């Protein structure tokens, strides 16, 4: 299954005014990079992958938000957000804001 094209379009609308945002196909989904740092990605498994401060992960976990796992390993500082959470515009905007904000706080990757 490919990633949700409508969800990708909704994210584009939210990040359209942000500086230095680039889209890149990754892991079968579509990632949005800020200054070369991944911030949020539309997952081919549905929903979003969102990058957050690793120290803030625990309080964000719920029945619809879980630590992201790839290749059997938990990805530190990444959350998998169920599609139900991002169905509403407010829900999506909150998670995109979190991911973009955290990625923007990181040092820019060289060449960005």
């Amino acid at each position: 299954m490919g990633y949700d094209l409508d969800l990708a379009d909704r994210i584009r609308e939210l990040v359209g005014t942000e500086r230095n945002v680039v889209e890149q196909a990754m892991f079968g989904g579509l990632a949005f990079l800020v200054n070369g740092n991944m911030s949020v990605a539309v997952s081919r498994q549905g929903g979003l992958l969102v990058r957050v401060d690793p120290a803030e992960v625990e309080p964000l976990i719920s029945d619809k938000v879980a630590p992201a796992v790839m290749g059997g390993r938990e990805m530190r500082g990444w959350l998998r957000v169920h599609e139900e959470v991002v169905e509403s515009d407010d829900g999506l905007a909150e998670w995109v804001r979190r991911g973009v904000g955290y990625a923007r706080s990181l040092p820019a990757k060289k060449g960005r």
Side-chain angles (χ1 to χ4, degrees):
M1 159 176 127
Y3 63 86
D4 183 332
L5 298 174
D6 291 331
L7 184 55
D9 286 340
R10 291 174 59 215
I11 293 171
R12 283 185 193 103
E13 288 180 28
L14 291 169
V15 300
T17 60
E18 292 282 338
R19 297 178 338 271
N20 302 320
V21 175
V22 175
E23 295 178 29
Q24 185 171 338
M26 296 179 124
F27 314 115
L30 182 67
F32 292 82
L33 289 77
V34 177
N35 294 325
N37 295 296
M38 285 180 61
S39 63
V40 62
V42 182
S43 173
R44 70 177 173 185
Q45 297 171 355
L48 295 179
L49 292 175
V50 180
R51 189 171 194 177
V52 297
D53 183 334
E56 296 177 5
V57 166
E58 281 301 316
L60 296 172
I61 294 173
S62 71
D63 61 329
K64 302 287 183 194
V65 178
V69 176
M70 288 190 77
R73 286 187 47 203
E74 187 174 307
M75 296 170 43
R76 184 168 152 74
W78 281 91
L79 295 171
R80 178 168 298 284
V81 179
H82 194 275
E83 56 257 1
E84 287 178 30
V85 175
V86 297
E87 283 178 350
S88 74
D89 290 340
D90 289 342
L92 179 61
E94 175 186 344
W95 285 102
V96 169
R97 179 189 51 77
R98 281 184 196 276
V100 168
Y102 184 66
R104 193 162 299 290
S105 76
L106 300 171
K109 303 276 180 154
K110 292 191 187 266
R112 306 284 180 210

